[in-house]
């Protein structure tokens, strides 16, 4: 079977980055393309990047997007935002592409809380929904936007006055009972036969900007499993999706929202061995997927990572040996990763050192192959490294006087050891 061309749109979000990490090493992917309508982190997520896509409400969006799909021969599309998923699902034709979880009616229902609550109105796991003008029988209540996601725009009203104020300020408000208990996200996967083959509950701890930075796996009990299967039966799902639950005052799980896209913290499942985006590709290719779960991982921690972009089109990497490539007799894994990354992209690698012993012997002792380098420059004690560095290039050295000397060249990017991580993809 041919390798797939996969498009992720929009590609700058956390969940887009998770899809990129999930698929970057897959043998089944020919091209992994990220597309965006604005300049964002997508350029760092995806080496194959398209940054000039019109916004989805622009008059020329559909024509542009269909041409993009045809030009790049896209096979599979991951939409990473609920509104984008709904928009793409409504397009009459996607040039024969498969939109993951792109059923038209399902994307519409999942995008709107009012339609979600209406679709499952008879379920005992639905929170109490107050109709327009209906007076709450208990306080406080939650007011949320109909088309919101996560905690965006969600507010608490403790009385009639606060409720009236929120009803006038929240866009398309929906009023539901207040749920004071624990909150869970349940990551799911439905295969091409309509079967739920994975449901993985996880906590949302230390949430920042709607993203769970700490997540603990929770055993799947009968109550949560039943909710997952009822949602799956009521919608047309295929691929990764998730729903969020919160406990009411009696400890019963109630629905917050449903989404037909990959969640950023689905990385918690991948850490346990369940790669949901990759499962979507196998399912698309007609293969039965079976989650292989490791019992040895139950917790993930996340942090903000920083990437730097330089306009310098460098072709060479010069790297020092002592306390740069090798520290305390051990290879510096970050610098080594950058060197291999650079080698794979066609850069030439140059080891430049005044090492007191033979550099090749020291490299071998640290289990670093000398064959990694195009050139090993072994300097005399008083020779300046700047005499051997020619740009455009990157120069990596832990010693400030060396960096200061080489930095006089305008076409050399000078890095201390700690800065190398900014350039890893």
């Amino acid at each position: 079977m041919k390798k797939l061309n996969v498009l992720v749109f929009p590609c700058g979000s956390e969940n887009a980055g998770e899809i990129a990490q999930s698929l970057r090493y897959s043998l089944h992917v020919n091209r992994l393309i990220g597309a965006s309508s604005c300049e964002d982190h997508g350029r760092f997520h995806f080496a194959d990047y398209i940054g000039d896509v019109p916004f989805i409400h622009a008059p020329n969006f559909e024509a542009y997007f269909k041409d993009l799909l045809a030009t790049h021969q896209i096979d599979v599309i991951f939409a990473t935002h609920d509104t984008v998923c709904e928009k793409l699902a409504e397009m009459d034709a996607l040039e024969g592409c498969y939109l993951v979880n792109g059923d038209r009616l399902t994307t519409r229902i999942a995008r709107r809380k009012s339609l979600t609550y209406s679709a499952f109105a008879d379920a005992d796991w639905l929170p109490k929904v107050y109709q327009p003008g209906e007076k709450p029988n208990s306080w406080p209540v939650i007011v949320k936007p109909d088309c919101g996601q996560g905690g965006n725009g969600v507010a608490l009203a403790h009385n009639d006055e606060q409720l009236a104020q929120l009803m006038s300020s929240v866009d398309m408000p929906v009023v539901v009972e207040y749920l004071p208990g624990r909150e869970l996200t349940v990551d799911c996967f439905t295969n091409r036969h309509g079967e739920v083959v994975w449901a993985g509950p996880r906590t949302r701890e230390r949430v920042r900007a709607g993203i769970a930075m700490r997540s603990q796996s929770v055993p799947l009990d009968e109550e949560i499993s039943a909710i997952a299967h009822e949602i799956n039966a009521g919608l047309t799902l295929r691929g990764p999706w998730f729903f969020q639950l919160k406990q009411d005052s009696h400890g019963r799980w109630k629905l917050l929202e449903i989404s037909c896209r990959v969640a950023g913290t689905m990385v918690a499942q991948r850490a346990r061995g369940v790669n949901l985006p990759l499962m979507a590709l196998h399912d698309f290719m007609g293969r039965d997927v079976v989650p292989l779960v490791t019992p040895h991982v139950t917790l993930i921690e996340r942090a903000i990572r920083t990437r730097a972009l330089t306009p310098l089109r460098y072709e060479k990497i010069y790297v020092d040996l002592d306390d740069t490539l090798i520290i305390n007799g051990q290879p510096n894994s970050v610098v080594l990763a950058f060197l291999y990354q650079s080698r794979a992209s066609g850069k030439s690698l140059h080891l430049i050192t005044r090492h007191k012993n033979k550099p090749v012997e020291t490299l071998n002792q640290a289990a670093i192959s000398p064959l990694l380098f195009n050139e090993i420059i072994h300097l005399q004690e008083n020779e300046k490294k700047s005499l051997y560095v020619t740009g455009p290039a990157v120069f990596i050295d832990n010693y400030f006087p060396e960096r200061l000397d080489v930095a006089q060249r305008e076409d050399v990017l000078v890095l201390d050891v700690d800065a190398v991580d900014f350039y890893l993809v």
Side-chain angles (χ1 to χ4, degrees):
M1 185 172 289
K2 74 164 188 171
K3 292 188 176 184
L4 304 174
N5 294 328
V6 179
L7 176 70
V8 180
F9 174 70
C11 69
S13 57
E14 282 293 311
N15 56 338
E18 169 53 18
I19 295 169
Q21 292 296 319
S22 298
L23 302 182
R24 65 185 301 190
Y25 301 119
S26 173
L27 298 176
H28 307 289
V29 176
N30 177 43
R31 293 179 65 193
L32 181 59
I33 303 171
S36 185
S37 302
C38 60
E39 185 62 30
D40 55 24
H41 202 75
R43 186 180 296 277
F44 298 91
H45 288 323
F46 296 87
D48 210 337
Y49 174 75
I50 301 168
D52 59 353
V53 180
F55 288 96
I56 60 171
H57 298 302
N60 62 333
F61 170 76
E62 290 197 21
Y64 180 101
F65 198 77
K66 289 179 180 180
D67 182 67
L68 183 156
L69 298 179
T71 300
H72 297 280
Q73 300 180 306
I74 301 300
D75 300 295
V76 178
I77 307 168
F78 285 91
T80 61
H81 190 279
D82 299 293
T83 302
V84 173
C85 194
E86 181 186 15
K87 172 66 176 179
L88 298 185
E90 289 175 347
M91 292 171 60
D92 291 332
L94 289 175
E95 301 299 322
C97 300
Y98 166 53
L99 174 62
V100 177
N101 255 326
D103 178 76
R104 182 174 298 190
L105 179 58
T106 295
T107 58
R108 187 166 181 268
I109 291 173
R111 186 67 190 107
R112 292 163 179 80
K113 304 291 189 301
S114 58
L115 296 182
T116 298
Y117 296 150
S118 177
F120 297 100
D122 296 331
D124 59 6
W125 38 264
L126 207 67
K128 165 64 178 174
V129 181
Y130 294 96
Q131 300 306 313
E134 182 181 358
K135 184 178 177 62
N137 53 15
S138 65
W139 299 93
V141 294
I142 290 290
V143 182
K144 60 177 72 175
D146 197 12
C147 290
Q149 56 272 334
N152 295 336
V154 176
L156 199 62
H158 291 87
N159 52 51
D160 287 321
E161 183 180 355
Q162 291 181 358
L163 177 59
Q165 184 179 12
L166 289 171
M167 292 295 286
S168 62
S169 60
V170 174
D171 185 35
M172 301 172 60
V174 175
V175 183
V176 298
E177 69 172 292
Y178 171 60
L179 304 172
R182 289 196 305 153
E183 182 177 340
L184 291 179
T185 295
V186 186
D187 298 315
C188 300
F189 189 93
T190 300
N191 66 15
R192 65 192 186 283
H193 305 301
E195 303 163 333
V196 178
V197 297
W198 177 255
R202 55 178 169 83
T203 61
R204 284 169 52 79
E205 305 173 30
R206 210 175 70 251
V207 177
R208 298 290 181 270
I211 299 167
M213 306 302 286
R214 178 185 173 95
S215 187
Q216 179 84 40
S217 299
V218 175
L220 179 67
D221 61 24
E222 292 184 4
E223 182 182 5
I224 297 173
S225 178
I227 295 173
H229 283 83
E230 287 182 50
I231 293 173
N232 186 67
L235 301 173
T236 302
L237 294 159
R238 181 183 176 188
W241 57 281
F242 68 92
F243 62 98
Q244 292 181 321
L245 300 172
K246 211 167 188 298
Q247 287 178 321
D248 65 13
S249 57
H250 302 288
R252 295 172 301 197
W253 291 112
K254 298 292 182 68
L255 180 70
L256 293 178
E257 64 182 23
I258 301 168
S259 181
C260 350
R261 59 173 172 82
V262 169
T265 315
M266 275 185 182
V267 65
Q269 310 303 338
R270 185 161 62 90
R272 299 176 64 197
V274 184
N275 187 331
L276 297 172
L278 183 58
M279 286 168 59
L281 297 190
H282 283 285
D283 182 78
F284 168 71
M285 293 185 289
R287 298 172 175 172
D288 293 333
V289 292
V290 179
L292 178 60
V293 187
T294 174
H296 306 296
V297 177
T298 59
L299 175 71
I300 63 152
E301 279 279 357
R302 309 175 72 191
I304 295 174
R305 299 187 66 187
T306 303
R307 293 293 174 263
L309 179 66
T310 174
L312 181 67
R313 295 185 174 275
Y314 59 89
E315 297 299 330
K316 304 174 185 177
I317 312 293
Y318 293 88
V319 61
D320 175 46
L321 180 61
D322 297 298
D323 302 316
T324 299
L325 180 60
I326 297 176
I327 300 176
N328 297 325
Q330 297 299 320
N332 182 327
S333 59
V334 174
V335 172
L336 205 54
F338 177 69
L339 293 179
Y340 275 106
Q341 173 183 296
S342 300
R343 184 175 187 267
S345 62
K347 307 292 191 292
S348 63
L349 307 183
H350 307 263
L351 184 68
I352 184 166
T353 179
R354 296 191 196 85
H355 189 58
K356 62 181 180 180
N357 299 318
K358 294 181 179 180
V360 169
E361 292 181 358
T362 300
L363 289 170
N364 286 330
Q365 289 171 2
I368 300 173
S369 173
L371 297 176
L372 176 61
F373 300 98
N374 298 79
E375 179 185 25
I376 296 177
I377 305 169
H378 196 187
L379 304 179
Q380 299 299 314
E381 180 64 30
N382 295 320
E383 283 188 287
K384 288 188 174 183
K385 292 182 179 180
S386 59
L387 297 176
Y388 293 85
V389 176
T390 59
V394 171
F395 176 76
I396 307 170
D397 199 304
N398 72 297
Y399 191 42
F400 179 79
E402 299 280 21
R403 298 198 308 275
L404 180 62
D405 183 37
V406 174
Q408 307 311 308
R409 296 184 176 273
E410 295 184 354
D411 58 351
V412 178
L413 171 62
V414 174
L415 302 178
D416 198 350
V417 180
D418 68 284
V420 176
D421 182 67
F422 294 147
Y423 299 90
L424 287 180
V425 298

